[in-house]
Amino acid sequence: MLTHVVLFKFKEGTSKEEIQRLGKGLGNLPHLINEIREFRFGTDVIRSERSYDFGLVSSFDDLDALERYQRHPDHRKVLEFVKAITSSVVAVDFTD
């Protein structure tokens, strides 16, 4: 099992509507992409100086499945929107 963790820092002025649109787009992905085994995401509740604004945790069978997910056209659409509203994105991928 491969775990994929992504943290997002929103650009100044990103609206609640844009964040909701991101959530809706992400929420649709498990229904569209068979490789996804687990998919959880949400907005940070702590809001400390070191916090990112939004996080995603997902799981895949293996690295090949993750790579198919990353190339999937529906993922690519969400990714384009992510690029428009974020100033920073960091990720880590690890096996359990």
Side-chain angles (χ1 to χ4, degrees), residues 3-8 22-23 26-27 29-30 36-43 54-60 69 94 96:
T3 301
H4 177 60
V5 179
V6 184
L7 303 176
F8 306 86
L22 172 62
L26 290 170
L29 293 180
I36 296 171
R37 297 292 169 249
E38 179 186 11
F39 208 73
R40 296 180 296 138
F41 57 87
T43 305
F54 195 92
L56 164 72
V57 178
S58 53
S59 297
F60 301 87
Y69 157 78
F94 59 90
D96 298 35

Side-chain angles (χ1 to χ4, degrees), residues 4-5 9 14-15 18 20 24-25 27 30-31 36 38 41 48 54 56 59 66 72 74 78 83 89 92:
H4 177 60
V5 179
K9 181 77 72 173
T14 299
S15 69
E18 289 170 315
Q20 289 172 342
K24 184 177 179 181
H31 306 290
I36 296 171
E38 179 186 11
F41 57 87
S48 72
F54 195 92
L56 164 72
S59 297
L66 173 64
H72 194 282
D74 291 305
V78 174
K83 290 177 182 179
V89 177
V92 63

Side-chain angles (χ1 to χ4, degrees), residues 22-77:
L22 172 62
K24 184 177 179 181
L26 290 170
N28 288 332
L29 293 180
H31 306 290
L32 301 169
I33 304 174
N34 292 333
E35 284 78 7
I36 296 171
R37 297 292 169 249
E38 179 186 11
F39 208 73
R40 296 180 296 138
F41 57 87
T43 305
D44 178 61
V45 296
I46 303 296
R47 298 185 182 246
S48 72
E49 289 214 8
R50 69 182 192 151
S51 294
Y52 270 65
D53 300 316
F54 195 92
L56 164 72
V57 178
S58 53
S59 297
F60 301 87
D61 288 338
D62 53 31
L63 183 56
D64 289 337
L66 173 64
E67 290 172 348
R68 287 191 301 277
Y69 157 78
Q70 291 177 325
R71 290 189 309 265
H72 194 282
D74 291 305
H75 173 260
R76 305 292 297 165
K77 288 178 193 173

Side-chain angles (χ1 to χ4, degrees), residues 78-95:
V78 174
L79 184 59
E80 287 305 312
F81 184 66
V82 165
K83 290 177 182 179
I85 65 170
T86 58
S87 59
S88 177
V89 177
V90 296
V92 63
D93 301 288
F94 59 90
T95 57

